[in-house]
Amino acid sequence: MSKKQKKMLARILIAAALMIALHFVPVEGMARFILYLVPYLVIGYDILLKAFKGIKNRQPFDESLLMAVATVGAIVIALTDSGDYTEAIAVMLFYQVGEWFQSYAVGKSRRNISDLMDIRPDYANIETDGKLTQVDPDEVEIGSVIVVQPGEKVPIDGIIIEGSTALNTSALTGESLPREAGEGDEVISGCINMTGVLKIRTTKEFGDSTVSKILDLVENASSRKSRSEAFITRFARIYTPAVVYSAIALALLPPLVRMFGMGLDAQWETWVYRALTFLVISCPCALVISIPLSFFAGIGGASNAGVLVKGSNYLEILSQTKYVVFDKTGTLTQGVFEVNAVHHNQMDREELLEYAALAESASSHPISKSLQRAYGKEIDRSRVTEIQEISGNGVTAKVDGVEVAAGNSKLMDRLGVKWIDCHQSGTIIHMAVDGRYAGHIVISDIEKPHAREAVRALKRSGVEKTVMLTGDSRKVAEHVAADLGIDEVHAELLPADKVAKVEELLAQKPARGKLAFVGDGINDAPVLSRADIGIAMGAMGSDAAIEAADIVLMDDDPLKIAKAIRISRKCLRIVYENIWFAIGVKLICLVLGAVGVANMWLAIFADVGVMIIAVLNAIRALFVKKL
């Protein structure tokens, strides 16, 4: 609890104690008025000041003015009539109880989000003359070597040059399982080093590192308002002056009609009391407070699940998603090529892989790397001579004096070697040894573990169509799409072609539905911007894709897309529940107040009670069940 909240709680308790005590003090007249004025000012002086400042700044129509007019009016009526000031003090007291509760609830949700996103490092360790010196992360330049000890946060993105450890990435990805990391691995800031001492060479400045970008996204998310929030803001601007004028009319018109039209007693006290009750009921606190809080809690709940939403407007759009369009490589697949099969081999599998790995040893291409990983042994470059790379075809070389060729069918045709086609999709490396066909190696990208489940989860969540756009070959794309259960696939596309396809899909989708595009590469940035909602992979995705996207998945797990949609729909459901509940209760109580059925106590419920219920409901958006 903050100092401000503690101070307010003390004022509430003091005012309540004084009001109860005065109930037993036998004083009348002006002395009674002065004594009751003390608890009223203790609990309400700040509201009176806000109302005065609003009038002074020519922005009078807010809840402070409504409370000030209603309570001061009730005191004036009590002064001239019954001398019972309890109602006026109770209205202000319960209003402040509601304000305190709202402040505590908002503070709690902010603390929850801060705890979930407690990833800002306080320092970075620089080793100087064998001693560690703590410096501000902002002062660390690219290429510097920092030391991260067990239990410390990784302050800046970089590459491990010494040491191995288990990294706790839960604050970034929402995943509780630690990730193993060792020499040569990339690490992102915000992770917690759990076991070994690490030396990391930084690859980014602190301002450009992952932790800074995440914090910036979360902190600025509230500045991008949804249509619902914008509506409530506009509604409050029109609604508040409307009810003030309505209350004035209720206080003046009926007495004047009775007095001049019917010749009856005007009953000014009755109608002014009803008007004051009307003002208390009409206070729009429940809407003005609970709607932004619902979105704030929704963004916090998404952050806890490893999904960063850049604004509440994107949360609202995501809830209406009917089409989801995927890039393939790095989004549905890992973007890591692996040897999946060896077919028609005329020698042992291991021997064929050894020839292929050695022949490709001079290349840094991902295909070459995958062959070297499949070989699984250290490459002895002294065994390889006369390496010749033939662009668009493959490689020829001598391995231990034996002529080896590794490449596509064009290379085999060029060498006059009869080759055998492969029925399996992927990159096919045909092998020739000593001028004779020795078989072929199938290399393909690996599907992400949750990719198939992610597509099924989207279908369950009400997504009508899933589409895959890729620059890969048609055969590979169709195989992956069929395996994952994707409805439609378009292959061999350039970045401009992807934009054109998204334009076509935008024209086809339902009028009230939205289209989301999910990608990770630099070439996906234009499509991410063009889609109704852009979703980027945050761990392996390019900076351009992350900048262009509206939502970022911190652990690159496509299963989180369905979870993000579910979070957004829960958040919007809570928003509409609060809107209908608050407006419905207030309209009923306003009618009851206008006809004299409702008193100040019902008015307190219509204002403070409704606000507390709406705030409690809004906080539910923080908590998300597992899929």
Side-chain angles (χ1 to χ4, degrees):
M1 195 185 301
S2 67
K3 287 183 179 179
K4 187 177 179 181
Q5 289 167 349
K6 289 178 181 177
K7 184 179 177 182
M8 174 57 73
L9 184 59
R11 285 171 56 199
I12 289 169
L13 294 174
I14 291 168
L18 287 172
M19 187 175 71
I20 294 168
L22 286 172
H23 188 69
F24 300 100
V25 177
V27 290
E28 299 295 333
M30 189 56 66
R32 182 179 177 84
F33 166 72
I34 293 170
L35 286 174
Y36 270 93
L37 201 59
V38 173
Y40 175 76
L41 291 175
V42 166
I43 195 62
Y45 74 89
D46 55 335
I47 301 299
L48 298 175
L49 283 174
K50 285 179 185 176
F52 174 74
K53 287 178 181 177
I55 295 169
K56 185 179 177 182
N57 296 328
R58 298 181 181 179
Q59 294 179 333
F61 297 114
D62 60 12
E63 58 267 27
S64 296
L65 178 70
L66 300 184
M67 282 297 118
V69 171
T71 53
V72 170
I75 287 173
V76 172
I77 289 175
L79 183 63
T80 57
D81 185 17
S82 62
D84 185 5
Y85 306 101
T86 307
E87 266 190 349
I89 298 170
V91 168
M92 187 65 82
L93 179 65
F94 284 110
Y95 173 75
Q96 293 285 44
V97 167
E99 287 290 296
W100 178 86
F101 188 87
Q102 175 260 330
S103 172
Y104 181 79
V106 171
K108 183 175 176 60
S109 66
R110 285 185 182 277
R111 285 194 299 276
N112 284 348
I113 292 173
S114 296
D115 291 342
L116 300 174
M117 300 301 294
D118 184 21
I119 55 177
R120 186 189 297 277
D122 300 317
Y123 59 87
N125 295 319
I126 300 289
E127 189 171 3
T128 309
D129 298 328
K131 294 183 179 179
L132 292 183
T133 306
Q134 291 185 355
V135 299
D136 191 315
D138 276 318
E139 298 175 4
V140 179
E141 298 178 353
I142 295 174
S144 301
V145 176
I146 58 175
V147 178
V148 183
Q149 300 180 98
E152 293 183 333
K153 299 183 187 78
V154 176
I156 305 169
D157 295 6
I159 296 173
I160 298 173
I161 59 172
E162 186 179 313
S164 61
T165 187
L167 293 172
N168 180 348
T169 63
S170 59
L172 297 173
T173 66
E175 297 298 328
S176 57
L177 291 175
R179 180 169 66 87
E180 297 296 326
E183 192 173 323
D185 290 337
E186 289 187 19
V187 288
I188 55 177
S189 51
C191 301
I192 298 174
N193 179 18
M194 296 175 65
T195 52
V197 177
L198 298 179
K199 287 189 177 181
I200 299 171
R201 188 177 302 282
T202 61
T203 55
K204 294 180 181 177
E205 292 182 347
F206 177 68
D208 295 325
S209 62
T210 303
V211 65
S212 296
K213 287 184 177 180
I214 291 171
L215 293 167
D216 183 60
L217 289 178
V218 174
E219 288 164 4
N220 292 327
S222 59
S223 65
R224 299 179 177 92
K225 289 191 175 182
S226 68
R227 285 190 303 168
S228 300
E229 284 182 284
F231 162 74
I232 293 302
T233 303
R234 293 195 302 271
F235 174 82
R237 287 174 186 165
I238 298 168
Y239 170 83
T240 307
V243 296
V244 170
Y245 294 134
S246 298
I248 293 170
L250 185 62
L252 298 178
L253 293 181
L256 291 174
V257 170
R258 287 176 62 86
M259 191 166 58
F260 296 112
M262 302 179 185
L264 300 173
D265 179 18
Q267 296 182 347
W268 287 101
E269 293 86 354
T270 299
W271 289 101
V272 169
Y273 181 82
R274 290 184 185 182
L276 295 175
T277 304
F278 186 91
L279 280 179
V280 175
I281 294 169
S282 65
C283 189
C285 301
L287 288 173
V288 173
I289 291 167
S290 69
I291 305 310
L293 178 60
S294 299
F295 281 110
F296 185 76
I299 290 171
S303 299
N304 185 32
V307 179
L308 292 184
V309 183
K310 293 185 179 180
S312 54
N313 54 331
Y314 304 126
L315 207 60
E316 189 166 30
I317 294 170
L318 185 65
S319 70
Q320 303 164 13
T321 300
K322 294 296 179 185
Y323 279 23
V324 177
V325 182
F326 295 95
D327 172 50
K328 182 181 75 70
T329 306
T331 302
L332 293 171
T333 63
Q334 295 183 13
V336 178
F337 292 91
E338 297 289 350
V339 171
N340 283 341
V342 176
H343 296 154
H344 306 290
N345 44 309
Q346 305 300 311
M347 59 183 70
D348 287 344
R349 183 180 188 276
E350 289 71 20
E351 188 179 1
L352 187 66
L353 286 172
E354 182 178 13
Y355 276 129
L358 288 166
E360 293 272 6
S361 61
S363 174
S364 59
H365 192 278
I367 297 296
S368 305
K369 296 292 184 185
S370 66
L371 289 169
Q372 291 166 30
R373 283 195 299 273
Y375 173 49
K377 299 177 184 177
E378 190 174 343
I379 299 291
D380 183 358
R381 292 286 295 274
S382 65
R383 296 172 58 190
V384 189
T385 58
E386 299 181 25
I387 297 173
Q388 184 181 358
E389 186 167 345
I390 302 169
S391 181
N393 286 245
V395 172
T396 61
K398 280 191 175 181
V399 177
D400 297 331
V402 177
E403 290 184 358
V404 176
N408 55 24
S409 57
K410 293 178 184 178
L411 180 63
M412 296 297 107
D413 291 338
R414 182 179 182 134
L415 298 175
V417 175
K418 189 176 180 181
W419 50 276
I420 302 172
D421 198 8
C422 184
H423 66 280
Q424 198 168 327
S425 64
T427 301
I428 311 302
I429 305 296
H430 293 281
M431 296 292 299
V433 178
D434 268 341
R436 292 190 301 273
Y437 191 67
H440 57 243
I441 301 167
V442 183
I443 298 174
S444 58
D445 198 357
I446 304 169
E447 293 173 6
K448 288 188 174 178
H450 296 149
R452 191 179 297 125
E453 188 182 349
V455 175
R456 287 201 298 265
L458 287 171
K459 296 285 186 181
R460 289 196 301 270
S461 68
V463 170
E464 295 176 3
K465 181 183 275 191
T466 54
V467 183
M468 188 171 76
L469 306 180
T470 179
D472 209 339
S473 69
R474 180 165 301 279
K475 186 177 179 181
V476 171
E478 288 176 349
H479 172 77
V480 172
D483 194 47
L484 298 181
I486 289 174
D487 301 322
E488 189 176 315
V489 59
H490 300 278
E492 300 174 0
L493 300 176
L494 297 172
D497 299 327
K498 287 186 179 181
V499 175
K501 284 294 179 186
V502 166
E503 295 277 3
E504 289 177 20
L505 292 166
L506 285 168
Q508 295 172 16
K509 69 177 176 59
R512 296 180 64 84
K514 301 296 182 183
L515 181 145
F517 180 83
V518 191
D520 71 313
I522 294 173
N523 62 337
D524 293 326
V527 205
L528 287 164
S529 299
R530 180 61 192 92
D532 291 322
I533 192 90
I535 303 174
M537 299 293 167
M540 297 299 291
S542 70
D543 289 346
I546 293 169
E547 288 294 328
D550 309 310
I551 293 173
V552 180
L553 308 180
M554 288 313 300
D555 62 354
D556 291 1
D557 185 353
L559 189 58
K560 292 287 177 70
I561 302 166
K563 177 172 272 192
I565 290 174
R566 201 177 72 177
I567 291 168
S568 68
R569 289 178 180 166
K570 179 180 179 180
C571 179
L572 265 292
R573 187 169 62 249
I574 289 170
V575 166
Y576 290 127
E577 286 170 0
N578 282 345
I579 289 174
W580 288 113
F581 173 70
I583 292 178
V585 171
K586 283 189 180 292
L587 285 176
I588 293 168
C589 292
L590 283 172
V591 173
L592 294 176
V595 298
V597 175
N599 58 16
M600 278 288 181
W601 297 103
L602 183 60
I604 291 168
F605 168 75
D607 177 34
V608 178
V610 169
M611 180 178 70
I612 290 173
I613 292 169
V615 166
L616 282 173
N617 193 36
I619 291 175
R620 288 197 303 119
L622 262 177
F623 307 103
V624 184
K625 293 180 181 178
K626 293 183 178 180
L627 282 171

